[in-house]
Amino acid sequence: MSTQCHYYLFEILLHIAIELKQQCELFALGRGILHLNIILIQCLLQNEEKSLLKKLADRILDGMVGDERVYHGYKDVYCGKYIKDGVPVSYREGESTRFFNGKENERIPGKRTEERYDSDDQKLEFLQRYGWLTNDEDARS
Protein backbone atom coordinates (compact mmCIF):
# COMPACT_ATOMS: atom_id res chain seq x y z
CA MET A 1 0.00 0.00 0.00
CA SER A 2 1.15 3.51 -0.62
CA THR A 3 1.75 6.08 2.09
CA GLN A 4 -1.33 8.00 0.93
CA CYS A 5 -3.53 4.96 1.54
CA HIS A 6 -2.09 4.57 5.02
CA TYR A 7 -2.89 8.17 5.88
CA TYR A 8 -6.41 7.81 4.44
CA LEU A 9 -7.02 4.69 6.58
CA PHE A 10 -5.58 6.51 9.56
CA GLU A 11 -8.05 9.39 9.12
CA ILE A 12 -11.01 6.97 8.91
CA LEU A 13 -9.95 5.08 12.03
CA LEU A 14 -9.30 8.34 13.87
CA HIS A 15 -12.85 9.50 13.15
CA ILE A 16 -14.21 6.19 14.50
CA ALA A 17 -12.16 6.59 17.67
CA ILE A 18 -13.46 10.13 18.17
CA GLU A 19 -17.04 8.92 17.74
CA LEU A 20 -16.50 6.33 20.47
CA LYS A 21 -15.35 9.20 22.73
CA GLN A 22 -12.50 7.14 24.11
CA GLN A 23 -8.98 8.24 24.81
CA CYS A 24 -7.00 6.24 22.34
CA GLU A 25 -3.26 6.32 21.84
CA LEU A 26 -1.72 5.83 18.45
CA PHE A 27 1.23 3.55 17.98
CA ALA A 28 3.34 4.14 14.91
CA LEU A 29 5.37 1.20 13.66
CA GLY A 30 7.76 1.18 10.75
CA ARG A 31 7.16 3.56 7.84
CA GLY A 32 4.07 5.32 9.07
CA ILE A 33 1.90 2.19 9.33
CA LEU A 34 -0.50 2.82 12.23
CA HIS A 35 -2.20 0.02 14.09
CA LEU A 36 -5.38 1.41 15.57
CA ASN A 37 -7.43 -1.79 15.46
CA ILE A 38 -6.02 -3.04 18.77
CA ILE A 39 -6.86 0.23 20.47
CA LEU A 40 -10.37 0.32 19.00
CA ILE A 41 -11.01 -3.24 20.19
CA GLN A 42 -9.82 -2.24 23.67
CA CYS A 43 -12.22 0.72 23.62
CA LEU A 44 -15.12 -1.56 22.68
CA LEU A 45 -14.16 -4.08 25.38
CA GLN A 46 -14.04 -1.31 27.96
CA ASN A 47 -17.68 -0.50 27.18
CA GLU A 48 -18.68 -4.17 27.62
CA GLU A 49 -16.73 -4.40 30.86
CA LYS A 50 -18.36 -1.24 32.20
CA SER A 51 -21.84 -2.57 31.41
CA LEU A 52 -21.08 -5.90 33.16
CA LEU A 53 -19.72 -4.09 36.24
CA LYS A 54 -22.85 -1.91 36.27
CA LYS A 55 -25.04 -5.03 36.18
CA LEU A 56 -23.08 -6.43 39.12
CA ALA A 57 -23.45 -3.17 41.05
CA ASP A 58 -27.19 -3.07 40.32
CA ARG A 59 -27.44 -6.69 41.60
CA ILE A 60 -28.95 -7.94 38.36
CA LEU A 61 -26.60 -10.94 38.28
CA ASP A 62 -27.11 -11.98 41.94
CA GLY A 63 -27.75 -15.68 42.58
CA MET A 64 -26.10 -19.05 42.13
CA VAL A 65 -23.59 -19.43 39.30
CA GLY A 66 -23.88 -22.98 38.04
CA ASP A 67 -24.66 -25.91 40.33
CA GLU A 68 -23.13 -26.90 43.63
CA ARG A 69 -20.60 -29.71 43.15
CA VAL A 70 -19.98 -32.51 45.64
CA TYR A 71 -16.58 -34.16 45.72
CA HIS A 72 -16.67 -37.55 47.45
CA GLY A 73 -13.69 -38.96 49.25
CA TYR A 74 -12.85 -39.52 52.89
CA LYS A 75 -15.34 -36.75 53.62
CA ASP A 76 -17.61 -34.96 51.19
CA VAL A 77 -16.64 -31.45 50.09
CA TYR A 78 -19.25 -29.08 48.68
CA CYS A 79 -18.07 -26.42 46.21
CA GLY A 80 -19.95 -23.69 44.44
CA LYS A 81 -20.07 -20.13 43.23
CA TYR A 82 -22.60 -17.38 43.72
CA ILE A 83 -23.00 -13.62 43.44
CA LYS A 84 -24.38 -11.77 46.47
CA ASP A 85 -24.78 -7.98 46.65
CA GLY A 86 -22.82 -7.64 43.42
CA VAL A 87 -19.76 -9.49 44.77
CA PRO A 88 -18.87 -12.89 43.29
CA VAL A 89 -17.96 -15.56 45.85
CA SER A 90 -16.43 -19.01 45.43
CA TYR A 91 -16.81 -21.36 48.41
CA ARG A 92 -15.75 -24.78 49.67
CA GLU A 93 -17.47 -26.41 52.63
CA GLY A 94 -16.57 -29.60 54.39
CA GLU A 95 -19.05 -32.20 55.53
CA SER A 96 -20.70 -31.58 58.89
CA THR A 97 -20.37 -34.09 61.72
CA ARG A 98 -22.99 -35.30 64.19
CA PHE A 99 -22.68 -36.87 67.59
CA PHE A 100 -24.94 -37.72 70.52
CA ASN A 101 -24.21 -35.70 73.65
CA GLY A 102 -26.35 -37.81 76.00
CA LYS A 103 -29.58 -35.88 75.40
CA GLU A 104 -29.79 -35.10 71.70
CA ASN A 105 -27.88 -35.22 68.44
CA GLU A 106 -25.60 -32.25 67.92
CA ARG A 107 -24.42 -31.08 64.54
CA ILE A 108 -21.05 -29.40 64.02
CA PRO A 109 -20.83 -27.65 60.66
CA GLY A 110 -17.82 -28.38 58.45
CA LYS A 111 -15.11 -25.86 57.73
CA ARG A 112 -16.14 -23.26 55.15
CA THR A 113 -13.72 -21.17 53.12
CA GLU A 114 -14.81 -18.36 50.80
CA GLU A 115 -12.89 -16.51 48.13
CA ARG A 116 -14.39 -13.09 47.47
CA TYR A 117 -13.79 -11.22 44.22
CA ASP A 118 -13.86 -7.62 45.48
CA SER A 119 -11.91 -5.54 42.94
CA ASP A 120 -13.19 -4.72 39.46
CA ASP A 121 -10.40 -6.73 37.84
CA GLN A 122 -11.26 -9.77 39.97
CA LYS A 123 -14.98 -9.41 39.15
CA LEU A 124 -14.23 -9.30 35.42
CA GLU A 125 -11.95 -12.32 35.78
CA PHE A 126 -14.75 -14.21 37.56
CA LEU A 127 -17.21 -13.35 34.77
CA GLN A 128 -14.70 -14.40 32.10
CA ARG A 129 -14.24 -17.78 33.76
CA TYR A 130 -17.76 -18.54 34.97
CA GLY A 131 -20.03 -16.12 33.08
CA TRP A 132 -21.15 -18.91 30.76
CA LEU A 133 -22.91 -20.50 33.74
CA THR A 134 -25.16 -17.48 34.36
CA ASN A 135 -28.56 -16.71 32.85
CA ASP A 136 -27.44 -13.34 31.43
CA GLU A 137 -26.64 -13.14 27.70
CA ASP A 138 -24.05 -10.35 28.13
CA ALA A 139 -22.15 -12.30 30.77
CA ARG A 140 -22.16 -15.43 28.58
CA SER A 141 -20.41 -13.72 25.69
Side-chain angles (χ1 to χ4, degrees):
M1 275 198 206
S2 69
T3 307
Q4 244 179 348
C5 291
H6 289 144
Y7 286 119
Y8 180 70
L9 289 173
F10 168 72
E11 287 179 4
I12 292 173
L13 292 173
L14 185 62
H15 288 294
I16 293 171
I18 290 171
E19 289 175 10
L20 292 173
K21 296 179 182 177
Q22 299 292 324
Q23 296 178 352
C24 295
E25 298 175 1
L26 305 177
F27 296 100
L29 299 175
R31 298 180 178 167
I33 299 172
L34 300 175
H35 296 278
L36 282 176
N37 57 352
I38 295 171
I39 295 166
L40 292 174
I41 290 171
Q42 288 175 348
C43 292
L44 292 172
L45 287 177
Q46 287 176 357
N47 289 336
E48 286 181 26
E49 291 170 352
K50 286 178 185 176
S51 69
L52 286 174
L53 290 173
K54 183 169 177 6
K55 283 186 175 187
L56 278 174
D58 293 340
R59 299 180 181 173
I60 295 173
L61 301 176
D62 280 7
M64 283 295 292
V65 177
D67 296 327
E68 184 177 64
R69 305 261 332 216
V70 180
Y71 295 98
H72 303 286
Y74 173 69
K75 294 225 176 201
D76 291 344
V77 178
Y78 303 91
C79 302
K81 291 151 187 34
Y82 62 91
I83 300 173
K84 182 176 181 182
D85 298 330
V87 179
V89 177
S90 177
Y91 70 91
R92 299 186 83 160
E93 186 172 2
E95 189 175 33
S96 61
T97 58
R98 289 175 276 167
F99 70 95
F100 186 71
N101 68 358
K103 291 184 182 179
E104 60 186 2
N105 286 328
E106 284 193 27
R107 180 182 168 274
I108 300 173
K111 180 181 176 185
R112 183 178 176 103
T113 58
E114 290 187 348
E115 180 184 357
R116 301 179 68 77
Y117 297 82
D118 294 323
S119 71
D120 288 345
D121 290 337
Q122 290 175 331
K123 290 177 183 179
L124 290 172
E125 180 185 344
F126 180 88
L127 290 174
Q128 285 176 348
R129 284 187 183 174
Y130 308 111
W132 63 278
L133 295 169
T134 62
N135 293 331
D136 189 74
E137 287 298 322
D138 293 335
R140 285 185 184 187
S141 59

